Amino acid sequence: MGISENINDILLDIKKLSPDPEKVNLVAVTKYVDIETIKEVLKGGAHILGENKVQVLTKKYEELSSYSINHKWHFIGNLQKNKVKYIARFIDMIHSINKLSLAEEINKRAKEHNRVIEVLIEINLFQEDSKEGYDYQDFLNDIPALLSLENIKIKGLMTMAPYTDNEDFIRNGFKKLRELKDELNILYFNDSLTELSMGMSNDYKLALEEGATLIRVGSKIFE
Ligand SMILES: *Cc1c(COP(=O)(O)O)cnc(C)c1O
């Protein structure tokens, strides 16, 4: 199978499985591939590209910046504060806010470039003691401070499921993320949280059924 056929299959799955397909976007995760292959992705009809390493992302951004097909870059990995400055001038969305100090750094760097950067709050719903994601109680305490940051815009929530065959476990996590978004919208965000970033190659179909608006798919595009 080719890249454009694989992308087409995923776009059809969005139409078929999502309760609200118009609101769903595919983030094509390009961390496995080179620039020539990324051009195939853009020609195949995916326009949001995702990377999880700052150095690789910055290099690919430069190499692709004058390419004729419009595209956006999303940062999806664990982001260190001292690297925010390298992506602040161009990044369209950061999926992985896990603490206030990171949000403050993004806000500061966005301001230097007169930009507002869209961000998602990463919530770990699968492992209690994992270091990934925002500690939920900390997040609740930090909401007033987060909302005061004028150069970031919190658009929604993100989560990552573990590799497991247990579909019910994964589905319940995705469902929980949607419920948290609805609850947070009522209590604090006045319906401004619109995005749910959940689902990767092996679980994006479940995520679509549970209301994902951003699916982050890599290997399935390139198999
Ligand atoms: C690599 C990666 C993906 C894509 O994973 P695949 O299983 O290749 O689809 C999605 N999200 C994050 C955060 C990743 O690092």
Side-chain angles (χ1 to χ4, degrees):
M1 281 293 265
I3 287 173
S4 65
E5 285 92 339
N6 290 340
I7 289 174
N8 206 38
D9 284 349
I10 298 165
L11 297 178
L12 286 173
D13 283 335
I14 291 174
K15 288 215 179 81
K16 204 164 58 188
L17 299 172
S18 168
D20 206 348
E22 300 292 307
K23 299 209 171 107
V24 182
N25 282 294
L26 167 64
V27 180
V29 178
T30 53
K31 64 190 183 192
Y32 314 101
V33 300
D34 62 12
I35 289 292
E36 290 313 309
T37 313
I38 295 175
K39 289 178 182 171
E40 296 301 311
V41 170
L42 296 175
K43 286 179 199 153
H47 299 290
I48 303 177
L49 306 172
E51 287 281 336
N52 68 341
K53 297 259 169 15
V54 166
Q55 234 177 327
V56 178
L57 166 61
T58 309
K59 189 161 178 283
K60 287 176 174 172
Y61 164 76
E62 294 294 348
E63 288 177 16
L64 214 62
S65 58
S66 55
Y67 190 58
S68 56
I69 302 178
N70 270 332
H71 54 277
K72 293 185 171 201
W73 285 104
H74 284 198
F75 189 83
I76 60 172
N78 190 38
L79 181 55
Q80 287 171 282
K81 269 182 281 178
N82 62 357
K83 298 204 171 150
V84 173
K85 57 178 178 284
Y86 301 115
I87 61 171
R89 78 199 143 92
F90 70 85
I91 198 73
D92 292 291
M93 184 180 278
I94 296 173
H95 287 227
S96 43
I97 302 300
N98 60 2
K99 48 175 131 40
L100 178 59
S101 60
L102 175 62
E104 287 171 338
E105 176 66 14
I106 296 167
N107 184 66
K108 177 180 141 189
R109 298 297 177 179
K111 194 172 196 152
E112 288 175 1
H113 295 282
N114 284 314
R115 303 187 65 218
V116 175
I117 297 178
E118 296 187 340
V119 303
L120 305 177
I121 304 296
E122 182 173 355
I123 307 281
N124 189 323
L125 292 167
F126 296 96
Q127 290 153 286
E128 300 261 297
D129 55 359
S130 166
K131 288 201 184 69
E132 272 171 37
Y134 220 126
D135 177 86
Y136 196 66
Q137 194 53 51
D138 286 351
F139 169 55
L140 293 180
N141 295 337
D142 290 347
I143 286 175
L146 288 164
L147 287 173
S148 76
L149 301 173
E150 292 179 350
N151 292 75
I152 64 169
K153 175 102 185 71
I154 302 174
K155 297 288 288 181
L157 308 178
M158 179 269 216
T159 199
M160 255 177 106
Y163 285 101
T164 162
D165 292 336
N166 187 341
E167 288 199 357
D168 288 341
F169 181 68
I170 296 177
R171 187 187 291 281
N172 279 332
F174 290 161
K175 192 177 289 180
K176 186 83 209 282
L177 197 71
R178 168 161 48 84
E179 289 166 358
L180 282 181
K181 177 179 82 91
D182 294 345
E183 195 176 295
L184 290 164
N185 265 330
I186 293 168
L187 292 175
Y188 306 102
F189 287 89
N190 199 18
D191 285 340
S192 63
L193 301 180
T194 55
E195 305 301 321
L196 283 176
S197 170
M198 56 192 198
M200 316 189 346
S201 290
N202 55 352
D203 55 20
Y204 76 86
K205 292 181 188 179
L206 295 176
L208 286 171
E209 289 171 354
E210 296 305 328
T213 64
L214 292 163
I215 51 172
R216 310 179 308 271
V217 183
S219 31
K220 159 119 184 145
I221 294 176
F222 306 107
E223 70 193 10

